[in-house]
Amino acid sequence: DPTLEEFNQVLAGRLPGIQVNANSPKWLGHFRVNSRQVEKYSVGRVYMCGDACHIHSPVGGQGMNFGMQDASNIAWKLGMVLSGKSSPQLLVSYHLERWPKGRGLVDLTERQTKMVMSSSQVVRQMQYLVLPIVGNNAATAASIMAPVAGETVYSYSDSPLSVEHWRFESISNAFSELFFHFNPMRILQ
């Protein structure tokens, strides 16, 4: 475990020009970031979500929200299947929709962590220049980041459940399919 002196040295290196001296800690320990993702979000009748599917740095603060979005995605599908309103084939879309989003989250938090933890003097100086600008414009920064953290920026246009996923050979076929043959229950069966 690190000593208090080592911890204060790290603080001094991370916050040049700011006098900070930690004292009387209850506990000091090492933290190691583990980033990984399972290959499949479901195997047979077992469905996983949240940290069971993807583990990553806490940078960005998206882990809990992301896990709840996984759970929400599989929950309504399980409900449809268990109530007999859909075939079990609907459950295949869970992995197809959530795995790419999870991969993106793991990749993003890895890049963010490398940036935050960088020992490069150039990167550190850029952080010191940018952070006050972001801090002085916190409301604007929050309005930009809220959709990312809340996962309202994600699209499932590649999902087999999405109308956008369908491929049409021509505009006339597209209009014919949408206006004369469109049956949303067909998707759920």
Side-chain angles (χ1 to χ4, degrees):
D1 286 343
T3 66
L4 184 57
E5 292 167 23
E6 291 169 333
F7 183 76
N8 280 320
Q9 287 174 354
V10 170
L11 277 178
R14 295 282 175 186
L15 305 168
I18 300 173
Q19 187 71 349
V20 178
N21 193 25
N23 57 57
S24 305
K26 299 267 186 229
W27 172 77
L28 290 173
H30 291 283
F31 175 74
R32 193 173 110 201
V33 175
N34 289 294
S35 292
R36 59 186 174 273
Q37 182 183 26
V38 295
E39 290 181 26
K40 297 179 182 179
Y41 279 28
S42 63
V43 178
R45 293 172 38 141
V46 176
Y47 294 86
M48 298 173 285
C49 60
D51 288 353
C53 294
H54 39 77
I55 189 82
H56 49 83
S57 166
V59 171
Q62 296 183 59
M64 183 178 68
N65 285 346
F66 211 85
M68 288 189 282
Q69 290 290 333
D70 288 344
S72 176
N73 186 288
I74 191 61
W76 77 264
K77 293 170 183 176
L78 284 169
M80 293 292 288
V81 171
L82 294 174
S83 67
K85 295 178 182 171
S86 178
S87 86
Q89 189 62 30
L90 173 65
L91 301 173
V92 172
S93 66
Y94 171 61
H95 172 81
L96 297 174
E97 291 174 353
R98 295 303 294 169
W99 192 92
K101 307 303 184 234
R103 179 79 260 148
L105 175 68
V106 170
D107 290 345
L108 175 64
T109 57
E110 283 181 356
R111 286 193 308 273
Q112 290 173 327
T113 300
K114 287 177 184 172
M115 180 66 76
V116 168
M117 301 306 291
S118 175
S119 59
S120 162
Q121 288 302 316
V122 172
V123 172
R124 303 295 311 160
Q125 289 301 318
M126 286 181 57
Q127 290 172 348
Y128 297 124
L129 292 172
V130 171
L131 285 176
I133 296 168
V134 172
N136 290 331
N137 297 287
T140 302
S143 68
I144 292 168
M145 291 309 299
V148 175
E151 286 199 59
T152 59
V153 297
Y154 295 117
S155 166
Y156 294 121
S157 60
D158 291 338
S159 169
L161 302 182
S162 173
V163 172
E164 297 168 23
H165 178 75
W166 298 352
R167 305 294 186 241
F168 299 109
E169 293 180 12
S170 69
I171 296 294
S172 62
N173 285 348
F175 281 113
S176 173
E177 186 72 16
L178 284 173
F179 294 109
F180 301 110
H181 302 290
F182 181 70
N183 178 359
M185 289 309 292
R186 178 177 73 175
I187 294 171
L188 298 176
Q189 294 174 348

